[in-house]
C-alpha cells in the first residue's frame, strides 16, 4: 500500500471506532479509536517530505576536457601545465605564455607600485648583411644562466627571445641586456661574430598597460634592427 494512504486509512478507522464508542458507550472502542489516532500520527510523521530519507547523489565526475583547459588567471605557471606553454625547440616559455605574463606582471606591478620591463631580443650569427639565426639552444642556455629567477624568458614564434623583467626600471633593463650581450660574447665560438638587437619598454615609464608595453617594445626593437651592429633601443616617452 502507498505510504501516503496509510495515515488516511488509520484515521478513517479511528473515526469509525470513536463514533461506535459514542453510540454504544463501550470504553474499549474508545481506546481503539485512540490507538488508531496514534498510529495515524506516527505514519504521517514518517511519510512527510522532511522526514524522508535523503537521496545520496553519486560522486560528481570530472570532465577531462575541462580539467585540461583551465583558464589562466594570476600566475600562468600555477594555472596550467608547463608543457602547454613550452617552446618545443628550446624549452623556454612560448609566445602565448609571454603575452599572458606581460599582462599579469603589469597588473601586479600596478597594485604594488613597481616597475616592469619588457624586452624583445634577436641574436644573429654573422655581421652586416650576411647573417643568419643563431643557435636557439645556445642562446636559450645563456639567457637562463643570466636572468634572475624572478624574470621570465620566452621564445617567440619567429625565433626572437622575449623577456619580462620583474621590478626593473629602464636603466636596469639596459644593464640586463648588456649582461646578456657579454655572456653571449663569452660563449661564442672562436672566430664567429654575432649581432644582437634589443627593444625595451617599461611600465610605467613608457606604457601604462600590457598592450601599450608590447607595442612599444616591438617598435623599439624595429628601430634597433635598422643598425648593422649590436644595438639596444629604448621606447620613447610620448
Amino acid at each position: 500500500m502507498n505510504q501516503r494512504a496509510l495515515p488516511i486509512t488509520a484515521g478513517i478507522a479511528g473515526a469509525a471506532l470513536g463514533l461506535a464508542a459514542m453510540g454504544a458507550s463501550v470504553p474499549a472502542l474508545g481506546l481503539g479509536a485512540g490507538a488508531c489516532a496514534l498510529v495515524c500520527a506516527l505514519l504521517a510523521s514518517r511519510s512527510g517530505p522532511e522526514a524522508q530519507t535523503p537521496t545520496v547523489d553519486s560522486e560528481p565526475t570530472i570532465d577531462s576536457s575541462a580539467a585540461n583547459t583551465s583558464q589562466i588567471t594570476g600566475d600562468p605557471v600555477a594555472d596550467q601545465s608547463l608543457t602547454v606553454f613550452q617552446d618545443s625547440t628550446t624549452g623556454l616559455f612560448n609566445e602565448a605564455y609571454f603575452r599572458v605574463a606581460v599582462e599579469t606582471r603589469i597588473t601586479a606591478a600596478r597594485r604594488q607600485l613597481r616597475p616592469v620591463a619588457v624586452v624583445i631580443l634577436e641574436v644573429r650569427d654573422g655581421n652586416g648583411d650576411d647573417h643568419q639565426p643563431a643557435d636557439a639552444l645556445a642562446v636559450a642556455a645563456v639567457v637562463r644562466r643570466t636572468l634572475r629567477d624572478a624574470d621570465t624568458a620566452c621564445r617567440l614564434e619567429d625565433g626572437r627571445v622575449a623577456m619580462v623583467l620583474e621590478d626593473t626600471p629602464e636603466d636596469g633593463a639596459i644593464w640586463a641586456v648588456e649582461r646578456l650581450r657579454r655572456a653571449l660574447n663569452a660563449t661564442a665560438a672562436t672566430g664567429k661574430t654575432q649581432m644582437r638587437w634589443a627593444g625595451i619598454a617599461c611600465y610605467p615609464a613608457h606604457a601604462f598597460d600590457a598592450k601599450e608595453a608590447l607595442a612599444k617594445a616591438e617598435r623599439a626593437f624595429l628601430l634597433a634592427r635598422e643598425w648593422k651592429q649590436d644595438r639596444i633601443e629604448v621606447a620613447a616617452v610620448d
Side-chain angles (χ1 to χ4, degrees):
M1 181 182 293
N2 191 308
Q3 287 189 349
R4 293 183 179 276
L6 291 176
I8 297 174
T9 303
I12 293 173
L17 289 174
L19 291 173
M22 292 174 61
S25 299
V26 180
L29 292 177
L31 290 175
C36 287
L38 179 60
V39 171
C40 178
L42 289 174
L43 290 175
S45 65
R46 294 188 61 183
S47 60
E50 60 279 349
Q52 292 178 359
T53 303
T55 302
V56 179
D57 295 329
S58 59
E59 184 176 349
T61 57
I62 298 175
D63 184 349
S64 59
S65 61
N68 293 331
T69 56
S70 58
Q71 293 183 349
I72 305 168
T73 55
D75 185 356
V77 177
D79 292 334
Q80 276 197 334
S81 169
L82 292 181
T83 57
V84 177
F85 290 111
Q86 275 186 333
D87 172 64
S88 59
T89 301
T90 63
L92 296 177
F93 293 117
N94 60 21
E95 184 167 342
Y97 185 95
F98 170 64
R99 296 187 178 280
V100 173
V102 173
E103 181 74 42
T104 56
R105 298 300 191 272
I106 288 181
T107 299
R110 187 178 295 114
R111 293 195 301 266
Q112 300 166 7
L113 302 179
R114 298 284 189 177
V116 173
V118 178
V119 180
I120 298 177
L121 170 73
E122 185 176 21
V123 182
R124 308 278 292 187
D125 288 338
N127 55 23
D129 294 323
D130 182 20
H131 52 76
Q132 58 186 359
D135 183 345
L137 285 173
V139 173
V142 173
V143 169
R144 285 194 186 93
R145 291 197 304 269
T146 307
L147 292 187
R148 303 166 301 176
D149 291 341
D151 299 329
T152 302
C154 309
R155 185 170 185 258
L156 305 183
E157 293 176 358
D158 59 13
R160 295 179 297 171
V161 175
M163 293 162 279
V164 186
L165 309 181
E166 290 278 359
D167 199 11
T168 305
E170 178 182 321
D171 55 348
I174 294 172
W175 176 236
V177 176
E178 179 61 21
R179 287 202 316 272
L180 272 173
R181 191 187 70 80
R182 294 182 183 185
L184 288 165
N185 276 340
T187 58
T190 304
K192 179 180 289 188
T193 59
Q194 281 186 338
M195 291 190 297
R196 302 102 183 180
W197 299 290
I200 297 172
C202 299
Y203 167 86
H206 309 121
F208 292 106
D209 57 39
K211 183 178 180 181
E212 187 180 13
L214 287 168
K216 287 197 169 185
E218 184 68 38
R219 192 180 312 155
F221 170 81
L222 293 176
L223 290 173
R225 191 72 161 71
E226 294 177 359
W227 292 70
K228 296 184 179 181
Q229 61 188 36
D230 287 12
R231 181 72 177 178
I232 301 172
E233 196 75 34
V234 178
V237 179
D238 293 337

